Amino acid sequence: MCGVVGYVGKKDCATVLIEALSKLEYRGYDSAGIAVFENGTIRVEKSKGRLANLIEKMKIDGKPDGHCGIGHTRWATHGEPSDINSHPHGNKRVTIVHNGIIENYKQIKDFLISKGYEFESETDTETVAKLLDYYYVDDPIETITKVIAEIQGSYALGIMFKDFTDTIFAVRKDSPLIVGVGKNENFIASDVPAIIKYTRDYYLLEPDEIAVVKKDEIIVYDIHKNVIEKELQTATWDIDAAEKGGYEHFMLKEIHEQPTSVKTTLTPRISNGMPDFSADGVDFDKLATYRKIFVVACGTAMHAGLVAKYIIEKIARVPVIVDIASEFRYRDPLITKEDLLIVISQSGETADTLAVVRLAKQVGAATMAIVNVKGSSIAREADMVIYTHAGPEISVASTKAYMVQISVMYLLAFEIAYSNGTITKEQCKQYTAELQNIPSGIEAAIELKKECQFVASKLMNTESLLYIGRGLDYALSMEGSLKLKEISYIHSESYAAGELKHGTISLVTDQMPVIAIATQTALVEKTISNIKEVKARGAMVILICGQSIDVGDDVADYIIKLPLVDDLMMPMIAAVPMQLIAYYTAVLKGCDVDKPRNLAKSVTVE
Ligand code: F6R
């Protein structure tokens, strides 16, 4: 949510900032803006809407001319998307960009108004800018420490002080911010893709560390103004990972990357045919000792947790409670020090998920994070971290991250089941071998593109539809439904197939298509009965089922047959046509697939 960048070097700053912001637009696209030192003064250019609007505006106004500045792409929280509410905020003395939410901004604003300050925007950010101005005499570090002692909430701030025309200042808490280390140039950014064109090297800022960034020097201070030695991090992927690489959209590229992402995630965790998480520092002797496992996450990551529940309970026979992070954290959950909390997060920055890790640690529960972004807040705070290796996921709608999250949960389930003694070593090896074959199954599922395009053409004009399934297929149908609605704006709901006739079937007419998923042999007959019930009420039915399942051609209007894999692993295969159906439906409707309205990736506010 919101992207922050900064640049100091020899290049044209505005050009670098715009380029960097273009890689962070997935974090918000309600407005964009930059501030650059031009002839010793701060010049701001900003505009409501996409970055393209700012670029157009600067064609008329002219680009700020300078070598040091900050930039921002916004996902609106306080105040509607407008030119006035766009970042940067501040005045000619202090100008800032901000990602996060200042919870006590109202009190600060009232205080500053009493001191004679005037405000033009409705944002919480402007209060931070003016508070910095209020304290600023001539020492930026002193000023920043005073301000962060007063503000409450989350922040990643890029700051310019008028008397320091070759320096940007940065500080963060509960919102991500890295300091990119280049040659004769340095950067700040919310995320690595923004700087990868220029450098792979960066520092991670700990909460309330203050970075002073110049062209050829970076100094990081703690809150007591002590200089801190930082460990240099290096991104393991290259610039191609953050480019579309010939695909029309990042989402399509990321769907195609799934086989590789799964392989890269699993391979280092399998040795001698058995799951092996020792390099992740996970103590698996302890795994068998937990009373319950809680899996908590948001959105698609939570759906990955639902698949995990079915698998872990089925083969390891341990109770698994899956919950939405924003619900779990506020319902006084019955988690104790006997339990294991597993959180799942692509970004590692989701505010509610992070809060759940903190809550579980407070009660003494063991915490494990399945995270894609290295060094992210959740990864740093959890006791154990298993990194997924999907590479950067740029499309707002998650695809490859979901796939790798599930793949890790499978391997974990096998490990837990083996530790618990509910499966033998031989069975564990067999499951693991089957999992290793899944990438080729995913490849084959991607080949179902034509069928998915056809289905999309049948769905594009519909207003509302249902996804149904049983067991693992129900968990999967939730993800299929979310994917479709978030990018095509077609209303859809997912239902446990057997639950339909307890109310929802009254919605079914010839105007309500139904997508049924039936990959679990033991449940197929039951799901087919439910399909017949909706067909009898006029619904057009699209059935996604396993190749080996003999359903008869007339059971549904369109049938997509999936490549053959073990029933247990079917979610990883069946997810692909659901992603493709959502993708092609959104494309046919002319939607902005990678940047659906109102959404942003990395939800750092609750
Ligand atoms: C949907 C989607 C979201 C995220 C959710 C959690 O396609 O991407 O539902 O899964 O916002 O985000 P992370 O995984 O970053 O915690």
Side-chain angles (χ1 to χ4, degrees):
M1 305 223 131
C2 296
V4 166
V5 295
Y7 173 76
V8 201
K10 291 181 176 165
K11 298 191 174 89
D12 175 55
C13 183
T15 306
V16 177
L17 293 176
I18 294 295
E19 167 69 27
L21 287 176
S22 74
K23 297 289 179 285
L24 291 188
E25 260 202 304
Y26 66 86
R27 301 179 72 87
Y29 22 89
D30 287 331
S31 67
I34 60 173
V36 174
F37 279 114
E38 187 180 63
N39 302 324
T41 58
I42 299 171
R43 179 171 153 206
V44 172
E45 283 289 329
K46 54 188 184 178
S47 171
K48 177 186 160 181
R50 306 253 158 141
L51 187 60
N53 295 5
L54 176 67
I55 296 169
E56 282 309 307
K57 184 167 182 275
M58 289 196 300
K59 280 187 188 153
I60 299 160
D61 298 356
K63 263 190 310 180
D65 183 16
H67 304 281
C68 175
I70 53 180
H72 189 266
T73 177
R74 177 170 187 241
W75 189 84
T77 56
H78 294 58
E80 58 168 12
S82 67
D83 287 350
I84 288 287
N85 288 333
S86 308
H87 298 217
H89 287 286
N91 54 26
K92 293 285 173 204
R93 294 181 78 229
V94 186
T95 295
I96 70 168
V97 287
H98 168 221
N99 168 29
I101 286 191
I102 305 303
E103 285 157 7
N104 59 341
Y105 85 101
K106 189 80 184 66
Q107 293 97 297
I108 297 172
K109 193 168 180 173
D110 290 345
F111 166 76
L112 289 167
I113 288 170
S114 76
K115 296 287 173 195
Y117 278 87
E118 286 175 7
F119 286 81
E120 52 186 24
S121 80
E122 300 153 85
T123 64
D124 51 341
T125 304
E126 194 183 357
T127 59
V128 181
K130 301 263 156 96
L131 193 63
L132 283 160
D133 179 77
Y134 174 74
Y135 283 123
Y136 179 56
V137 181
D138 55 8
D139 182 347
I141 305 290
E142 177 77 21
T143 308
I144 293 169
T145 50
K146 279 186 182 154
V147 168
I148 59 180
E150 281 189 30
I151 57 177
Q152 287 161 17
S154 55
Y155 46 84
L157 293 167
I159 310 168
M160 296 160 73
F161 289 92
K162 79 164 181 41
D163 306 308
F164 296 81
T165 56
D166 62 350
T167 312
I168 44 181
F169 298 83
V171 64
R172 69 167 281 270
K173 187 177 140 253
D174 292 347
S175 289
L177 198 65
I178 58 170
V179 181
V181 183
K183 281 207 178 76
N184 285 321
E185 59 183 4
N186 291 309
F187 308 79
I188 60 166
S190 298
D191 203 354
V192 178
I195 58 166
I196 197 80
K197 181 171 174 188
Y198 308 100
T199 179
R200 287 157 173 251
D201 296 333
Y202 61 95
Y203 297 127
L204 292 165
L205 283 185
E206 295 299 328
D208 287 345
E209 286 180 352
I210 300 165
V212 180
V213 184
K214 298 186 184 195
K215 172 166 67 71
D216 37 27
E217 182 186 66
I218 297 166
I219 303 177
V220 179
Y221 297 92
D222 69 10
I223 194 118
H224 308 294
K225 297 194 200 164
N226 301 312
V227 174
I228 318 252
E229 279 299 313
K230 298 297 293 181
E231 190 189 330
L232 197 64
Q233 312 284 327
T234 302
T236 47
W237 40 271
D238 59 25
I239 185 164
D240 294 346
E243 302 287 343
K244 282 193 203 141
Y247 289 94
E248 201 183 337
H249 297 100
F250 278 109
M251 183 174 174
L252 191 59
K253 178 185 178 224
E254 288 161 7
I255 290 172
H256 279 82
E257 284 171 347
Q258 293 181 117
T260 310
S261 302
V262 171
K263 259 187 237 162
T264 321
T265 300
L266 292 180
T267 306
R269 287 155 181 143
I270 297 173
S271 72
N272 300 322
M274 289 288 283
D276 180 359
F277 288 88
S278 50
D280 298 293
V282 177
D283 177 1
F284 274 87
D285 289 338
K286 272 221 83 187
L287 265 193
T289 66
Y290 296 112
R291 196 182 55 124
K292 276 190 206 150
I293 298 176
F294 290 83
V295 181
V296 183
C298 300
T300 288
M302 194 278 287
H303 294 158
L306 284 172
V307 173
K309 174 184 168 74
Y310 281 93
I311 309 296
I312 298 173
E313 289 191 345
K314 191 173 170 66
I315 66 165
R317 312 305 293 163
V318 185
V320 179
I321 294 143
V322 181
D323 213 337
I324 298 165
S326 55
E327 288 294 313
F328 185 83
R329 64 182 287 198
Y330 291 118
R331 70 173 165 82
D332 199 6
L334 289 169
I335 185 166
T336 70
K337 57 179 179 351
E338 324 267 284
D339 302 323
L340 170 66
L341 169 80
I342 303 179
V343 291
I344 306 177
S345 176
Q346 188 285 127
S347 63
E349 299 293 345
T350 302
D352 286 313
T353 311
L354 178 60
V356 169
V357 173
R358 291 176 181 165
L359 180 152
K361 285 179 85 171
Q362 262 167 25
V363 300
T367 55
M368 178 191 284
I370 317 283
V371 172
N372 196 44
V373 177
K374 206 174 147 202
S376 54
S377 304
I378 292 172
R380 281 191 276 173
E381 295 201 23
D383 303 323
M384 301 168 259
V385 186
I386 299 177
Y387 281 113
T388 51
H389 301 306
E393 190 179 62
I394 310 284
S395 169
V396 165
S398 183
T399 52
K400 62 176 179 171
Y402 173 74
M403 199 61 93
V404 290
Q405 287 160 355
I406 299 186
S407 69
V408 163
M409 293 311 288
Y410 272 95
L411 205 57
L412 263 178
F414 304 157
E415 176 77 45
I416 298 170
Y418 178 57
S419 309
N420 279 358
T422 53
I423 57 171
T424 62
K425 190 167 189 177
E426 271 324 297
Q427 283 171 313
C428 190
K429 281 193 167 179
Q430 203 179 327
Y431 279 134
T432 308
E434 270 156 20
L435 187 61
Q436 281 181 292
N437 282 332
I438 289 298
S440 53
I442 299 173
E443 262 162 35
I446 294 173
E447 293 306 310
L448 294 166
K449 257 183 239 164
K450 283 266 168 301
E451 287 85 336
C452 295
Q453 273 167 334
F454 181 71
V455 167
S457 72
K458 298 287 163 197
L459 295 180
M460 63 178 285
N461 293 319
T462 196
E463 278 182 11
S464 190
L465 64 98
L466 291 177
Y467 281 78
I468 61 168
R470 287 172 178 258
L472 274 170
D473 294 331
Y474 174 44
L476 200 58
S477 72
M478 291 190 205
E479 177 54 11
S481 168
L482 175 64
K483 216 82 307 170
L484 183 83
K485 71 184 127 193
E486 74 176 317
I487 60 170
S488 75
Y489 314 142
I490 295 176
H491 171 254
S492 81
E493 296 298 331
S494 58
Y495 272 89
E499 185 65 9
L500 272 184
K501 51 178 140 339
H502 298 286
T504 310
I505 202 162
S506 69
L507 289 173
V508 175
T509 65
D510 58 1
Q511 298 302 305
M512 173 73 83
V514 174
I515 299 187
I517 303 137
T519 67
Q520 303 299 298
T521 315
L523 294 169
V524 164
E525 286 308 321
K526 309 267 174 216
T527 307
I528 298 293
S529 302
N530 301 128
I531 292 176
K532 287 185 176 152
E533 288 157 8
V534 293
K535 259 192 94 54
R537 281 146 187 97
M540 172 180 81
V541 177
I542 292 131
L543 171 63
I544 300 175
C545 66
Q547 226 170 67
S548 60
I549 292 174
D550 186 14
V551 284
D553 287 348
D554 57 347
V555 78
D557 298 271
Y558 307 98
I559 302 181
I560 295 184
K561 291 244 174 178
L562 299 167
L564 205 56
V565 301
D566 188 277
D567 272 13
L568 196 72
M569 323 270 172
M570 265 298 186
M572 296 182 71
I573 306 298
V576 177
M578 292 203 296
Q579 296 166 344
L580 288 169
I581 289 170
Y583 172 75
Y584 286 117
T585 308
V587 170
L588 286 174
K589 288 191 70 184
C591 301
D592 191 342
V593 175
D594 287 333
K595 296 174 197 147
R597 72 181 173 218
N598 305 339
L599 286 171
K601 214 164 177 71
S602 188
V603 184
T604 51
V605 296
E606 65 171 287

